[in-house]
Amino acid sequence: MFQFLVLLSCLGAISGTPLRDALHKDVLAGRVIGGHEAQPHSWKWQVSLQISYPNDPGYYAHICGGTLISSKWVMTAAHCLSVPPGASYRVALGEHNLLEVDGTEYYLGVDAIFIHEGWNPNDIANGSDIALLRLNSPASANGFVELGALPPKGEILPNDYPCYITGWGVVSAGGGSADRLQEVMLPVVDHKICSQEDWWGSQAKDTMLCAGGDGVRAGCSGDSGGPLNCYRDDHWEVHGIVSFGLVPYCNTYQKPTVFTRVSAYVDWIYSTMENNGGF
């Protein structure tokens, strides 16, 4: 992601088709942090959220991830949008290598931003770190782009449920960002554990989802806003939006990556889309 929102000097926003059995025997090779390069175009709903600043209007840089949830809407983290006025956004779809033109990617502009009313940019641990981006033209299926499925309202995954985080974030503490999309399996840490004092304590709300915390695997800066992908009932669902972690040591033991829990915001997502141009 692009900037860390610092809280208590340590809390910061952190901005292939895997087979079912691979969920339980993921081989780690040192990337997301602790993961590896994804098979190109295996996560077809993953987008790169990119920004152009007024002083350099022709140049767009990756700041966050996001999820295409309808032909006109992308879901991301609210903290990804805390930037100076005058900036413009676009999303890259069908992307894998940010530094190369593969012929699979295309770009759509953002014509409206809807940030959850509960979001407080001065208190990321307060929750509601979710936003929707309305695209200026519909996304098209070119074989490399697909919609991400949302979970049912209120769905809670059990402790240790295997999910995948994907993103172009940094691959080591203090290291550089990835050019190619990375993935790593993160097991869910249930709220009862994650909210213990030696984990995230009161900073972990029940509208959040924790995953990881083994000291090896984590999301980190550049991954913010991107999806936590979980295989359930024979299909992939996006259960989380990357929100925050311990900065810059994102893979700290008992400090799992914290996500906005999508199932807590399903009503808000659908009503926002329905009341602002439809699905």
Side-chain angles (χ1 to χ4, degrees):
M1 84 152 247
F2 81 122
Q3 295 281 344
F4 291 147
L5 301 176
V6 178
L7 200 157
L8 301 179
S9 77
C10 68
L11 181 61
I14 55 177
S15 18
T17 304
L19 300 175
R20 273 169 287 184
D21 59 353
L23 287 167
H24 299 283
K25 56 182 182 182
D26 192 74
V27 179
L28 304 178
R31 291 279 196 256
V32 166
I33 289 175
H36 53 260
E37 182 180 350
Q39 180 183 342
H41 314 298
S42 53
W43 305 103
K44 297 181 181 182
W45 46 88
Q46 168 91 46
V47 308
S48 165
L49 175 60
Q50 303 179 353
I51 191 168
S52 176
Y53 294 99
N55 60 347
D56 194 4
Y59 175 74
Y60 282 86
H62 170 84
I63 55 167
C64 280
T67 301
L68 184 70
I69 60 171
S70 90
S71 64
K72 295 192 289 186
W73 293 90
V74 164
M75 178 176 69
T76 189
H79 77 257
C80 291
L81 305 164
S82 302
V83 298
S88 62
Y89 297 96
R90 73 178 187 184
V91 297
L93 302 99
E95 185 62 277
H96 180 69
N97 188 333
L98 294 174
L99 299 185
E100 292 181 0
V101 178
D102 302 314
T104 61
E105 68 278 87
Y106 61 93
Y107 308 96
L108 295 176
V110 173
D111 76 1
I113 295 169
F114 300 88
I115 294 175
H116 193 279
E117 55 276 9
W119 166 245
N120 179 355
N122 299 311
D123 185 8
I124 193 169
N126 190 52
S128 300
D129 189 8
I130 182 172
L132 294 178
L133 310 176
R134 191 176 68 201
L135 304 177
N136 63 6
S137 59
S140 57
N142 65 352
F144 304 97
V145 176
E146 230 173 69
L147 302 184
L150 302 184
K153 177 182 175 180
E155 180 71 25
I156 305 287
L157 297 175
N159 192 57
D160 272 342
Y161 197 94
C163 297
Y164 273 77
I165 182 176
T166 50
W168 288 274
V170 302
V171 297
S172 62
S177 297
D179 302 330
R180 297 174 175 86
L181 186 68
Q182 305 290 306
E183 65 179 32
V184 69
M185 193 276 279
L186 294 183
V188 168
V189 178
D190 72 25
H191 179 70
K192 189 172 184 179
I193 296 172
C194 196
S195 58
Q196 292 177 3
E197 284 309 310
D198 53 344
W199 289 69
W200 277 113
S202 62
Q203 293 169 333
K205 307 297 190 292
D206 61 7
T207 56
M208 300 174 182
L209 187 162
C210 302
D214 63 357
V216 178
R217 300 168 289 182
C220 207
S221 60
D223 296 324
S224 279
L228 182 68
N229 308 287
C230 308
Y231 198 82
R232 196 187 71 89
D233 289 349
D234 296 322
H235 69 286
W236 289 100
E237 294 173 341
V238 177
H239 278 254
I241 302 166
V242 181
S243 183
F244 67 83
L246 197 65
V247 179
Y249 302 105
C250 300
N251 55 334
T252 296
Y253 182 63
Q254 291 189 353
K255 289 294 183 285
T257 305
V258 182
F259 301 79
T260 302
R261 179 167 60 82
V262 174
S263 66
Y265 294 93
V266 168
D267 285 347
W268 179 82
I269 292 167
Y270 287 131
S271 65
T272 300
M273 292 193 297
E274 184 176 6
N275 295 330
N276 294 281
F279 302 98

